[in-house]
């Protein structure tokens, strides 16, 4: 037996089947990105991806909004779990996953289903005061998330028969 640290996720590593750990590359990219900002949302990257998939959204949209509205959850009303400036920042959620799934649902219901599918269409509704700069910042954070290298930082132990 030998332990090997793996820096990327794939179906095969060093000729061994890797079944113990699999993760969506989007989740890894998002986790790595949020970690750079010391975000309390870092450990909820999987929830962002799952909620986006469930409601047919770009997985980068809600985290990017959180960057603009609260520096990725670092500047929020105490115990509000509202990283998105939802309801002017005055909305309180029960937990980070609760806020992620609720706001994702609301973006689908109140924006996308009513024709606002792109950031530039969402911006004037979400932030009518400064839609152009808000939209530009959201798009920039989406680009930065996309440009993040999906690196697995955990060390995985594998049993190899050689």
């Amino acid at each position: 037996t030998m332990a090997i640290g793996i820096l990327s996720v794939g179906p095969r590593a060093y000729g061994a089947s890797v079944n113990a750990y699999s993760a969506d590359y989007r989740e890894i990219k998002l986790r790595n990105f949020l970690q750079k900002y010391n975000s309390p949302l870092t450990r909820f990257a999987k929830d962002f991806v799952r909620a986006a998939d469930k409601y047919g959204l770009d997985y980068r949209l809600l985290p990017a909004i959180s960057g603009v509205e609260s520096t990725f959850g670092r500047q929020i009303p105490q115990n509000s779990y509202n990283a998105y400036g939802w309801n002017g920042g005055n909305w309180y959620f029960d937990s980070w996953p609760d806020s992620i799934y609720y706001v994702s649902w609301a973006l689908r219901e109140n924006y996308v289903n009513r024709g606002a599918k792109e950031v530039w269409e969402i911006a004037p509704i979400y932030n009518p005061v400064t839609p152009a700069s808000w939209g530009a910042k959201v798009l920039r954070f989406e680009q930065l998330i996309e440009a993040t290298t999906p690196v697995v930082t955990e060390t995985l132990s594998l049993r190899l028969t050689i």
Side-chain angles (χ1 to χ4, degrees):
T1 355
M2 110 178 25
I4 298 175
I6 297 178
L7 296 178
S8 63
V9 174
R12 295 199 136 325
Y14 303 104
S17 188
V18 180
N19 295 321
Y21 183 85
S22 64
D24 186 319
Y25 80 95
R26 299 171 301 165
E27 174 193 338
I28 298 166
K29 286 175 90 149
L30 185 55
R31 186 181 325 117
N32 292 162
F33 176 80
L34 292 169
Q35 223 165 21
K36 289 180 198 173
Y37 288 89
N38 196 28
S39 170
L41 297 165
T42 301
R43 63 190 186 111
F44 301 99
K46 182 180 281 188
D47 292 294
F48 279 113
V49 172
R50 285 184 176 170
D53 287 350
K54 181 175 182 175
Y55 296 110
L57 303 172
D58 184 323
Y59 82 100
R60 302 167 303 164
L61 177 61
L62 193 56
I65 290 172
S66 80
V68 175
E69 295 291 340
S70 68
T71 317
F72 305 102
R74 290 178 40 217
Q75 298 173 354
I76 63 169
Q78 189 171 10
N79 299 319
S80 70
Y81 302 102
N82 185 352
Y84 328 100
W86 201 248
N87 193 33
N90 296 316
W91 194 283
Y92 282 69
F93 296 96
D94 294 331
S95 65
W96 286 120
D98 178 47
S99 71
I100 291 166
Y101 283 92
Y102 179 84
V103 178
S104 294
W105 168 83
L107 284 168
R108 165 52 69 183
E109 288 295 313
N110 300 322
Y111 293 77
V112 177
N113 286 354
R114 295 180 182 177
K117 295 179 171 96
E118 302 297 324
V119 170
W120 294 114
E121 297 165 326
I122 293 169
I125 305 165
Y126 203 103
N127 185 332
V129 178
T130 56
S133 67
W134 184 91
K137 290 173 189 173
V138 169
L139 286 172
R140 180 67 183 139
F141 282 133
E142 284 186 347
Q143 291 168 346
L144 291 171
I145 292 166
E146 191 59 37
T148 301
T149 304
V151 177
V152 176
T153 55
E154 299 88 11
T155 301
L156 304 178
S157 294
L158 302 174
R159 175 172 279 173
L160 300 176
T161 307
I162 299 176

